[in-house]
Amino acid sequence: MSMSERQSRQPVGAPHHLLSDEAAAELSSIPTEVINLGDAPPLAPAGALTQGEVRAILMSLLLAMFLAALDQTIVATALPTIGRQFGDVENLSWVITAYLLSSTAVAPVFGSLADIYGRRVMIIVSLSLFVAGSVMCALAPSLLVLILGRALQGLGGGGIMPIVQTVISDVVTPRERGQYQAYFSGVWVSAGIGGPILGGFFAEHLHWSMIFWINLPLAIGALTLLLPKMAKIPVYHRRRRVDWLGGVLLMSAAMAVMLVLTWGGNRFAWLSPTILALSGAAVLLAVSFVWHALRAREPFLPLSLMSGTVVPWAMAGGAFTMGAMIALTVHMPLYYEAVYHLTASQSGLALIPIAAISVFGAAFTGRAMVHVERYKRIAILGTGFAALMALAIALLTPLPLWLFLTLLSLCSLGLGTVFPVSVVSIQNAVPRPQIGTATGAMNFFRALMASFTVAAFTAILLIALGGDVQLGGGEQRHVVGSVAAGEMVAGFRWVFGAAALMLAASALCIVVMEERKLAGPEPTLALPD
């Protein structure tokens, strides 16, 4: 009997119907090059974990993820204080850029290493790097050391997200996994809202170094909760030779792309020699990575993993939605202050409909996936509805603030539906020994799309408002004072229209994506055909 036949006969039902140890061992021994997307085992073994142990693991994973999310936002409000202490304002942006660059570049690396060396080892490594970077930042005697510490922090923070999602896939069946995505979304919303507030409080009333010292007890608490339970989590990693050259090429290409998207149109003109050189380097490194991956016996990121009828479409659908949401979050304060004359703090509160309401969409979808068979229809309807709301805003703006926030909330509710569907579909479609690799690649492409969309929306505004307007480098107040509200409304009509197109593209990707049966408890409801 072939492996695929044995897998197809595995019982599908409650989480206690598990893949046998013999089948799991046989699967993990298969060389990477002969594993295909159809080889994924039907169920995620829960081993001897009790519900209490699963909850303890979940809490520790959420705490670890909160660390990574918090340090993307907590530093921003403390930057003026840090700049005054070190007497260097010009290079302050690197305190944030260094973290984003390193965390984005290493996401697929940590995902792949988790499939090679195991989740336990890599979560320890990522949290240790994060803590070491935090200590380095807190004790930094100069801005240069602080920037290097932030880069080290990013190396750890970039590994936390894919490893956390991979561990969840090891202990929860795909059908039940979607409902946990809402908790993860909630963590990011909490960090996005609470980070700037907490950073400003520390900088004003205590000392800016507390921004980094607070990471130590949180990281120790996460490890203390998680490590005793990790021994009971099923083991799916497969030791193999690490393709370090492929990993270096992938990270280098990612960093070049991120620098182009971060600096282009802001620090340097898009056609400046610096941006052109970085763009050329990014293309050369990307082509080199693909060439190497096609020839390597066991590539760092198997390109075959990115093919098929599920993975590429699910990744694209999630990336389009993530890009639209992040780009709107970045640019909306400018719209609020210029059109509705809100203060900076009021603009921050007005961002809640974009970030927080999406959690409810993700929570509803995740719970619905446990009960319905045609799960992707929820994401199709949700993203399609979100696209219509974004289009309505583009066509009807300017609107009364209450109506604008209502439409924006409805848009956010719809776009939140795609995240559980895309994550679970990807993890349900790939072999167990490669779930970490696929999850890391998913987070990597989402981060790249978010950076690309922020740059694209900025370019749209620059074209609409005139080439002499500068949107970066802390010039927001200058823009608000120099651009008429009517001009800002006209410019943002194009931004909302672009967001609608991205959400429509996301819905189309989910339509094209194959809807495979999710492993786990049988659904109790079926949506009509």
Side-chain angles (χ1 to χ4, degrees):
M1 185 184 300
S2 67
M3 168 61 74
S4 59
E5 289 172 335
R6 280 195 293 271
Q7 290 174 0
S8 66
R9 295 190 181 187
Q10 293 294 329
V12 177
H16 303 292
H17 295 163
L18 307 174
L19 188 69
S20 68
D21 293 337
E22 293 81 8
E26 184 177 350
L27 177 68
S28 64
S29 66
I30 299 176
T32 304
E33 57 268 21
V34 302
I35 296 178
N36 57 56
L37 294 175
D39 289 328
L43 289 178
L49 291 173
T50 65
Q51 286 298 319
E53 289 171 331
V54 172
R55 283 194 294 269
I57 290 173
L58 176 64
M59 292 302 297
S60 61
L61 293 176
L62 291 175
L63 183 56
M65 185 179 291
F66 182 73
L67 280 171
L70 186 67
D71 270 64
Q72 292 190 13
T73 60
I74 194 173
V75 177
T77 48
L79 284 181
T81 303
I82 295 173
R84 285 194 298 269
Q85 175 168 329
F86 292 124
D88 187 349
V89 177
E90 182 178 353
N91 297 307
L92 269 182
S93 61
W94 273 105
V95 176
I96 294 178
T97 302
Y99 185 94
L100 293 177
L101 284 175
S102 58
S103 61
T104 300
V106 300
V109 174
F110 269 93
S112 296
L113 292 179
D115 284 339
I116 297 173
Y117 295 113
R119 313 344 180 186
R120 178 188 178 95
V121 172
M122 297 318 300
I123 195 67
I124 293 175
V125 170
S126 60
L127 282 172
S128 298
L129 287 172
F130 189 84
V131 169
S134 298
V135 173
M136 185 175 176
C137 290
L139 299 176
S142 65
L143 187 62
L144 175 60
V145 176
L146 177 61
I147 291 171
L148 294 176
R150 286 285 287 171
L152 182 59
Q153 254 195 327
L155 294 179
I160 291 174
M161 182 68 170
I163 296 175
V164 164
Q165 292 176 313
T166 303
V167 172
I168 286 294
S169 74
D170 291 339
V171 300
V172 182
T173 63
R175 184 167 296 282
E176 298 168 308
R177 202 174 298 157
Q179 58 189 323
Y180 292 97
Q181 299 302 316
Y183 297 119
F184 298 149
S185 299
V187 166
W188 283 95
V189 170
S190 300
I193 296 174
I197 298 173
L198 196 60
F201 175 81
F202 284 153
E204 183 177 353
H205 299 288
L206 298 174
H207 190 267
W208 62 263
S209 62
M210 285 299 299
I211 291 172
F212 305 106
W213 287 124
I214 195 177
N215 293 328
L216 273 66
L218 293 177
I220 293 172
L223 283 175
T224 302
L225 283 173
L226 181 61
L227 292 185
K229 305 297 187 296
M230 289 289 284
K232 293 187 177 183
I233 295 178
V235 174
Y236 292 112
H237 64 273
R238 184 179 68 85
R239 289 296 182 95
R240 59 181 174 86
R241 184 171 59 87
V242 181
D243 178 23
W244 291 114
L245 177 58
V248 170
L249 288 173
L250 181 60
M251 286 191 296
S252 301
M255 294 187 72
V257 171
M258 288 291 291
L259 284 174
V260 169
L261 296 176
T262 303
W263 284 349
N266 182 11
R267 184 181 292 265
F268 301 100
W270 284 106
L271 297 180
S272 66
T274 301
I275 297 300
L276 292 177
L278 282 172
S279 301
V283 172
L284 179 62
L285 288 167
V287 171
S288 300
F289 167 75
V290 172
W291 182 86
H292 174 78
L294 291 173
R295 286 158 178 78
R297 185 173 182 270
E298 291 187 310
F300 201 90
L301 179 61
L303 297 183
S304 60
L305 199 68
M306 313 301 294
S307 61
T309 57
V310 177
V311 174
W313 300 108
M315 284 191 178
F320 278 127
T321 301
M322 180 67 75
M325 185 175 73
I326 297 298
L328 285 176
T329 303
V330 169
H331 290 92
M332 285 312 300
L334 179 62
Y335 185 77
Y336 288 139
E337 294 184 35
V339 177
Y340 295 107
H341 308 292
L342 301 184
T343 65
S345 58
Q346 289 172 336
S347 297
L349 291 175
L351 290 177
I352 293 177
I354 301 177
I357 304 300
S358 64
V359 176
F360 295 100
F364 169 79
T365 305
R367 294 188 180 278
M369 291 174 73
V370 179
H371 302 290
V372 301
E373 183 177 357
R374 301 294 185 181
Y375 56 91
K376 83 171 189 176
R377 295 185 182 180
I378 303 172
I380 294 172
L381 292 174
T383 49
F385 178 73
L388 289 177
M389 292 299 99
L391 181 61
I393 293 174
L395 296 176
L396 300 177
T397 197
L399 295 163
L401 182 58
W402 68 270
L403 182 55
F404 178 83
L405 293 177
T406 299
L407 293 178
L408 199 60
S409 298
L410 292 173
C411 177
S412 182
L413 183 69
L415 66 83
T417 61
V418 79
F419 297 129
V421 172
S422 60
V423 173
V424 173
S425 296
I426 290 168
Q427 293 182 337
N428 186 66
V430 302
R432 290 219 165 274
Q434 294 181 315
I435 283 184
T437 302
T439 305
M442 176 194 70
N443 285 285
F444 172 70
F445 287 117
R446 282 186 178 184
L448 284 185
M449 179 59 76
S451 297
F452 170 79
T453 309
V454 169
F457 282 17
T458 300
I460 290 172
L461 280 177
L462 286 174
I463 294 173
L465 298 178
D468 295 333
V469 176
Q470 296 294 322
L471 297 181
E475 299 292 336
Q476 181 162 303
R477 285 292 180 184
H478 169 72
V479 174
V480 171
S482 62
V483 178
E487 294 178 353
M488 191 67 72
V489 168
F492 266 88
R493 282 200 182 104
W494 293 101
V495 169
F496 296 132
L501 285 176
M502 292 191 68
L503 293 170
S506 176
L508 181 60
C509 288
I510 303 301
V511 169
V512 176
M513 181 190 79
E514 179 188 352
E515 186 177 49
R516 294 189 181 178
K517 183 179 179 64
L518 296 179
E522 289 292 345
T524 57
L525 299 172
L527 293 179
D529 291 327

